[in-house]
Amino acid sequence: AAVAPTYPTPPETATAGLTLVESLVITVEDEFGNPRIGDVVTWTVGPNSGSVSQTETTVASDGTAQVDWTLGQAVGINTLTVAVGGTAFSEVLSVTGEAGAPVQPTGTPVASQSGTVATALSTALTVTVVDQFGNPVSGETVSWSTTDAGASFSPASAATDAAGQVSTSWTLGTVSGPQAATATM
């Protein structure tokens, strides 16, 4: 007879879209501690929860079966149901996918804006910082710069909000003509 398997304990959080650092390992033994060699373990990924390296594995001579789990690309809860064939045992594992490393900020072009030299533009400059999968990254510091004499930003740098956005008011430089602003992390 089988006893309840020892299910893996995944991390509470991990980076969305990436493979967990450690493989998930389940241990399946009988009531005497002997490995249940040959039992089939089914790994079923929930909706938007990524993929596993194998959907079925077989318990090895050491009583274990394992997979690698790559989380879904969106931020949020990922689920994985682990069931042991030949037994009534199953477990739902979950990991919260978090935004990954930020990529260069992107913004809406403001080429159509015009203003008077040495005055603030009527529309703030806004950029969004996202990870490689488009998830917003909060708390990332963005700094604004320009080579135009006399121009300034308020604030000159700020952290992104929960939507990955940050804005600044741009006071144009003192020389008429095209001017450009740069947002960097």
Side-chain angles (χ1 to χ4, degrees):
V3 295
T6 305
Y7 290 97
T9 304
E12 289 183 25
T13 61
T15 304
L18 299 183
T19 302
L20 297 181
V21 174
E22 293 186 24
S23 297
L24 299 178
V25 180
I26 184 173
T27 302
V28 186
E29 299 175 335
D30 65 18
E31 68 270 21
F32 304 108
N34 299 309
R36 287 184 47 109
I37 300 168
D39 277 7
V40 175
V41 179
T42 304
W43 309 81
T44 307
V45 178
N48 303 312
S49 295
S51 62
V52 287
S53 55
Q54 300 177 67
T55 57
E56 286 188 356
T57 55
T58 303
V59 175
S61 62
D62 65 354
T64 65
Q66 69 180 23
V67 296
D68 292 319
W69 185 10
T70 301
L71 300 183
Q73 295 179 355
V75 169
I77 301 292
N78 290 257
T79 60
L80 176 64
T81 302
V82 185
V84 179
T87 74
F89 298 111
S90 69
E91 182 82 14
V92 177
L93 310 176
S94 66
V95 175
T96 300
E98 297 182 331
V103 294
Q104 188 62 28
T106 58
T108 304
V110 291
S112 60
Q113 282 198 64
S114 60
T116 305
V117 293
T119 60
L121 290 175
S122 60
T123 303
L125 302 181
T126 301
V127 296
T128 303
V129 177
V130 296
D131 69 8
Q132 65 182 348
F133 302 113
N135 298 305
V137 178
S138 63
E140 188 66 29
T141 300
V142 174
S143 299
W144 302 89
S145 62
T146 184
T147 58
D148 298 308
S152 63
F153 300 95
S154 179
S157 68
T160 55
D161 62 18
Q165 295 186 332
V166 64
S167 297
T168 190
S169 174
W170 183 13
T171 298
L172 296 172
T174 56
V175 178
S176 64
Q179 298 187 24
T182 303
T184 55
M185 297 184 297

